């Protein structure tokens, strides 16, 4: 389930957003100011943040700027919410690194459409779209993984954590992810789980992929972490 953090000091608006997002299947956390928002992000990295511009204390703009300057939160998808319709403010928000911008009041339908668009671009593992790499097809909606076994498409047995891990790797291929990053992005917790846990689940994941001869998709990058590398069919291979 995708995690959305709502940062909004007006409790009526926060409540309304929260109800709409929960109804759409998101796991929602609410923070009333920048400090509470920072504490929530330190605990669990959300898939997306709805960030109100006008907050007591640190503003949404300053908070977004701080997140962009920190390696852990640099890629965090952020949609700014504001009552300001001023073009200059909008530009300042996008310059700071907000991925999108919504001016209040907005409809629930518009909000959900913007959230999905930003997730598609920046956190595709947070969506239910099926992904294909090599001979593997992963469908988050039905929670099914299929692969080619002896020339036939077969469902592969895979545990829930390995499924989430594979989903993340398939939506972010050809990139090296450190164990800490995987804990953050897949487990949602980088502090209380030992990095060794990642190795245990990668081992299980490779075992789950072995009937489809796909274990070697998950590469260990020494001293760095793990990478999913898709096989490239070359004309030279014969
Ligand atoms: Ca506000």
């Amino acid at each position: 389930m995708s995690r959305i953090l709502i940062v909004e000091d007006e409790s009526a608006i926060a409540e309304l957003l929260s109800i709409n997002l929960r109804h759409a299947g998101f796991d929602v956390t609410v923070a009333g100011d920048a400090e509470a928002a920072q504490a929530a992000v330190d605990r669990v990295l959300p898939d997306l943040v709805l960030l109100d511009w006008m907050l007591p204390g640190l503003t949404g703009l300053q908070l977004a700027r701080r997140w962009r300057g920190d390696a852990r939160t640099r890629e965090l998808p952020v949609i700014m919410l504001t009552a300001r319709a001023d073009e200059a403010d909008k530009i300042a928000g996008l310059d700071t690194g907000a991925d999108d911008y919504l001016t209040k009041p907005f409809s629930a339908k518009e909000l959900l459409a913007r959230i999905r668009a930003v997730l598609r671009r920046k956190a595709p593992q947070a969506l239910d779209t099926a992904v294909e790499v090599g001979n593997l097809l992963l469908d988050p909606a039905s929670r099914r993984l299929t692969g080619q076994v002896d020339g036939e498409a077969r469902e592969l047995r895979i545990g829930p954590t390995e499924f989430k891990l594979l989903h993340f790797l398939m939506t972010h291929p050809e990139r090296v992810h450190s164990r800490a990053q995987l804990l953050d992005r897949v487990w949602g917790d980088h502090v209380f789980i030992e990095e060794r846990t990642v190795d245990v689940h990668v081992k299980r994941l490779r075992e789950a992929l072995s009937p489809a001869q796909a274990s070697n998709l998950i590469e260990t990058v020494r001293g760095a972490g793990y990478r999913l590398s898709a096989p490239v069919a070359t004309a030279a291979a014969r």
Side-chain angles (χ1 to χ4, degrees):
M1 198 192 288
S2 314
R3 298 177 290 261
I4 296 192
L5 172 64
I6 299 170
V7 190
E8 168 66 78
D9 59 316
E10 285 157 83
S11 57
I13 296 177
E15 180 68 10
L16 188 66
L17 289 171
S18 173
I19 290 168
N20 277 307
L21 294 179
R22 286 204 174 102
H23 189 248
F26 294 102
D27 177 357
V28 179
T29 306
V30 177
D33 58 27
E35 203 182 328
Q38 185 64 58
V41 164
D42 288 345
R43 249 185 337 263
V44 175
L45 201 61
D47 292 303
L48 183 141
V49 184
L50 292 180
L51 181 57
D52 186 29
W53 182 302
M54 293 304 288
L55 293 168
L58 209 62
T59 67
L61 195 64
Q62 289 168 319
L63 186 57
R65 197 169 286 147
R66 184 204 275 176
W67 285 340
R68 288 299 178 248
D70 179 347
R72 181 168 173 258
T73 47
R74 187 164 295 143
E75 301 290 320
L76 191 57
V78 173
I79 298 180
M80 291 282 273
L81 308 179
T82 182
R84 305 175 180 206
D86 194 290
E87 196 62 22
D89 288 343
K90 185 170 176 171
I91 291 162
L94 292 170
D95 274 353
T96 301
D99 296 288
D100 203 355
Y101 196 101
L102 269 171
T103 306
K104 296 174 192 171
F106 45 81
S107 68
K109 199 176 158 190
E110 184 178 10
L111 172 70
L112 289 170
R114 299 288 190 96
I115 288 175
R116 293 206 175 95
V118 170
L119 288 176
R120 226 177 351 261
R121 193 151 45 85
K122 294 202 65 185
Q125 81 285 357
L127 292 168
D128 272 357
T129 316
V131 248
E132 207 174 348
V133 172
N135 75 46
L136 300 176
L137 175 68
L138 180 144
D139 182 9
S142 62
R143 240 219 93 231
R144 280 210 175 100
L145 173 68
T146 45
Q148 293 285 321
V149 181
D150 302 328
E152 271 177 51
R154 292 261 182 85
E155 186 173 345
L156 303 176
R157 287 172 60 93
I158 183 167
T161 303
E162 290 74 36
F163 189 88
K164 278 180 74 178
L165 178 60
L166 180 62
H167 190 193
F168 180 79
L169 293 170
M170 284 174 81
T171 48
H172 299 82
E174 311 299 338
R175 263 187 264 173
V176 182
H177 308 282
S178 71
R179 289 165 179 82
Q181 283 167 343
L182 290 171
L183 284 174
D184 247 354
R185 305 291 298 275
V186 178
W187 277 259
D189 193 327
H190 69 129
V191 182
F192 302 107
I193 304 173
E194 288 184 58
E195 296 198 348
R196 242 193 350 227
T197 303
V198 176
D199 303 330
V200 172
H201 287 282
V202 166
K203 183 168 178 281
R204 286 190 200 151
L205 174 56
R206 286 186 176 131
E207 284 162 9
L209 299 181
S210 77
Q213 316 280 317
S215 308
N216 59 357
L217 284 182
I218 318 291
E219 298 174 356
T220 304
V221 183
R222 276 189 68 182
Y226 293 102
R227 172 176 56 208
L228 182 141
S229 214
V232 179
T234 59
R238 61 189 102 180

